[in-house]
Amino acid sequence: MSELATVIDDLAVANRILFHQGVVDGFGHISARHPERADRFLLARNMAPGQVTRADIQEYELDGTPVDPAGPKPYLERFIHGELFRARPDVMAVVHSHSPSVVVFSTVPSQPLRAICHMSGFIGENTPVFEIRDTAGSATDLLIRTPELGVALADSLGERPVVLMRGHGSTVVGESIRQAVFRAVYTEVNAKLQADALRLGSPVYLTAEEGAAITVTNNGQLDRAWNLWRELAEAAA
Ligand code: MN
């Protein structure tokens, strides 16, 4: 199998994993940088991620233009992906979702999302929140509909792995499809645990150094989660 065929296959699987792990529902998406052309990315056509197959994966320029002008309808928010790939040469995959526990933390400025458990140490301290009003005013539909909004989101993300989007969701990046999927799943887990802990009292969070150390460990274990989640997603199909 060519490298491109492998990436397309993994991307289709990743869509179904994210659905079965509760990160995406009828909405949300995951992209991968084109393995042979760093100035392009791969993303499903406009459809529910849990139904994506290899045949649904399309190719886009970084500005969000479909390579095939006669292709199927694209996602409205494809600009998230292209502008993050442009801003972050280290990023090979991007997950955008509306997973509910994470949305909560996008809405309370006094409670930033922070790493509270070892599986989500990559989150680190004080996750940034993108405020669309700062770029586009207070009357948008909150969606990243233009390259300009994609650039503004990339500015908020900076060099971090996760950016929350106020009242909307989050975007998670990774050096591989597997890492991005792992991070998206555990960003939602962390948000749920953090909200639970905050109801009990004042949580003890991971230090930046603990987060960095566990990230090195977890990066060596990505296949273990991927292989399980893939089997569960395929069994449910
Ligand atoms: Mn969205």
Side-chain angles (χ1 to χ4, degrees):
M1 199 184 279
S2 71
E3 195 179 355
L4 177 59
T6 301
V7 170
I8 289 172
D9 192 56
D10 282 353
L11 194 55
V13 170
N15 272 272
R16 296 196 296 275
I17 287 174
L18 290 171
F19 172 65
H20 287 286
Q21 292 302 313
V23 174
V24 297
D25 49 17
F27 301 90
H29 17 87
I30 175 169
S31 64
R33 193 187 293 273
H34 194 298
E36 293 152 11
R37 292 203 49 164
D39 60 342
R40 290 185 176 175
F41 66 99
L42 303 160
L43 178 70
R45 66 184 174 89
N46 190 321
M47 65 184 294
Q51 296 180 307
V52 169
T53 68
R54 284 188 296 273
D56 299 308
I57 304 297
Q58 309 293 312
E59 201 171 313
Y60 296 90
E61 308 282 359
L62 293 187
D63 69 1
T65 305
V67 170
D68 177 3
K73 184 181 168 190
Y75 286 123
L76 294 171
E77 295 196 283
R78 60 193 180 280
F79 307 103
I80 293 171
H81 303 268
E83 295 304 332
L84 291 195
F85 285 126
R86 194 198 306 276
R88 289 278 299 272
D90 59 310
V91 166
M92 296 303 284
V94 177
V95 177
H96 169 62
S97 76
H98 310 149
S99 63
S101 306
V102 178
V103 173
V104 171
F105 281 91
S106 78
T107 65
V108 184
S110 62
Q111 293 293 354
L113 186 73
R114 300 180 60 175
I116 198 167
C117 96
H118 72 303
M119 296 306 289
S120 44
F122 62 89
I123 290 175
E125 301 176 297
N126 299 345
T127 301
V129 180
F130 174 68
E131 174 49 83
I132 196 167
R133 292 176 191 167
D134 294 343
T135 306
S138 58
T140 71
D141 63 3
L142 303 186
L143 302 188
I144 306 298
R145 289 177 165 274
T146 65
E148 292 72 25
L149 285 168
V151 168
L153 179 67
D155 285 346
S156 287
L157 175 71
E159 297 303 312
R160 302 292 292 259
V162 183
V163 60
L164 307 192
M165 302 150 81
R166 194 266 310 156
H168 176 178
S170 65
T171 298
V172 177
V173 300
E175 296 166 359
S176 66
I177 292 173
R178 290 174 192 212
Q179 189 189 58
V181 166
F182 178 94
R183 288 176 168 181
V185 169
Y186 281 105
T187 297
E188 172 66 12
V189 168
N190 192 93
K192 186 164 190 317
L193 293 175
Q194 190 176 344
D196 286 348
L198 284 165
R199 278 190 279 274
L200 296 180
S202 298
V204 177
Y205 295 99
L206 272 64
T207 64
E209 292 78 11
E210 288 171 336
I214 193 63
T215 297
V216 172
T217 304
N218 286 341
N219 282 343
Q221 306 278 341
L222 299 178
D223 287 352
R224 183 158 140 187
W226 173 269
N227 290 337
L228 170 67
W229 294 337
R230 176 177 191 149
E231 189 170 304
L232 291 172
E234 287 175 346

